[in-house]
Amino acid sequence: MLQINHVTKKYQNFTALKDIDLELEYGIYGLLAPNGAGKTTLIRLICGLQSPTSGEDSIYGKKYTSGDILQMRRRMGAVAENPSIYLDMTAEENIREQYAILGRPTYEGITELLELVGLSGTGRKKAKNFSLGMRQRLGIAIALAGDPDFLVLDEPVN
C-alpha cells in the first residue's frame, strides 16, 4: 500500500530525514519517535505536501512523481497536527466543502460522519467557536469524508 525507498529530506543545512525505508500493507501502524525526529516531515511526504530531496515513495504502486498520483491520494484521508478547517463555517458546511473538493455528487453521509465524531449537535455553531477537541474531531470527519482506505493521523492523541 505504501512504500518508501531511501528517502532523505533536507532543508538547507538541516537533514530532517535520512535514508528512510518503510513498507506498509493494510493494517494499523503507529510511528513513535522523539520530538524532532522527522515524523511530521515523513507524514507530509506521504501526503504529498512536500517532496523528498532524494529517494522515492509510492502509494498503491504509484510513485509520487507519477501523473496519476493524485488519484491514489484521493484514497487517503489525513489529519495534520492542526487540522485545516474553515473557521467561519459550521461543521456540516466544512464537510460539504470537502465533499465538493472530492467531487462527491451528493451530501449523503454527512449526518453519519458528524454523529461518528460526536459533532451532530453543533448545528449553526461556527468552527471558530469550537474547542480544540471539537476542531480535531471535525478534522477527522473531513479526513473520513472521502471514505478513505488509508488514513494518516499526525498527533492522533490530540
Side-chain angles (χ1 to χ4, degrees):
M1 181 176 68
L2 171 68
Q3 191 162 3
I4 296 172
N5 297 315
H6 304 292
V7 164
T8 295
K9 178 64 178 177
K10 293 183 180 181
Y11 301 98
Q12 295 177 349
N13 296 326
F14 176 72
T15 302
L17 297 172
K18 185 177 180 183
D19 199 32
I20 301 293
D21 288 311
L22 180 67
E23 187 172 326
L24 302 179
E25 297 298 327
Y26 286 98
I28 299 173
Y29 300 90
L31 183 59
L32 303 173
N35 289 345
K39 297 180 299 291
T40 297
T41 300
L42 181 61
I43 287 170
R44 289 176 167 274
L45 293 173
I46 291 168
C47 293
L49 300 173
Q50 295 180 346
S51 297
T53 305
S54 63
E56 60 184 30
D57 65 270
S58 61
I59 301 169
Y60 304 109
K62 299 288 182 180
K63 292 182 182 177
Y64 78 96
T65 54
S66 171
D68 54 355
I69 188 65
L70 292 178
Q71 286 303 109
M72 297 301 111
R73 288 207 171 104
R74 284 183 177 263
R75 297 173 61 186
M76 178 190 320
V79 180
E81 185 176 0
N82 298 309
S84 297
I85 57 176
Y86 297 103
L87 297 176
D88 288 326
M89 291 183 174
T90 66
E92 182 174 337
E93 290 168 340
N94 266 278
I95 297 173
R96 283 178 179 250
E97 189 66 25
Q98 184 65 14
Y99 270 38
I101 290 168
L102 294 170
R104 292 193 63 163
T106 71
Y107 294 131
E108 185 178 334
I110 291 177
T111 301
E112 292 80 6
L113 272 175
L114 290 172
E115 202 170 293
L116 177 69
V117 298
L119 294 176
S120 59
T122 57
R124 298 188 114 352
K125 186 176 186 178
K126 304 288 186 195
K128 66 183 170 190
N129 298 316
F130 284 7
S131 68
L132 176 60
M134 292 170 77
R135 289 181 188 184
Q136 289 291 88
R137 287 181 291 172
L138 178 55
I140 292 169
I142 290 168
L144 294 172
D147 195 24
D149 47 31
F150 181 29
L151 187 60
V152 178
L153 305 172
D154 191 7
E155 301 289 348
V157 293
N158 282 352

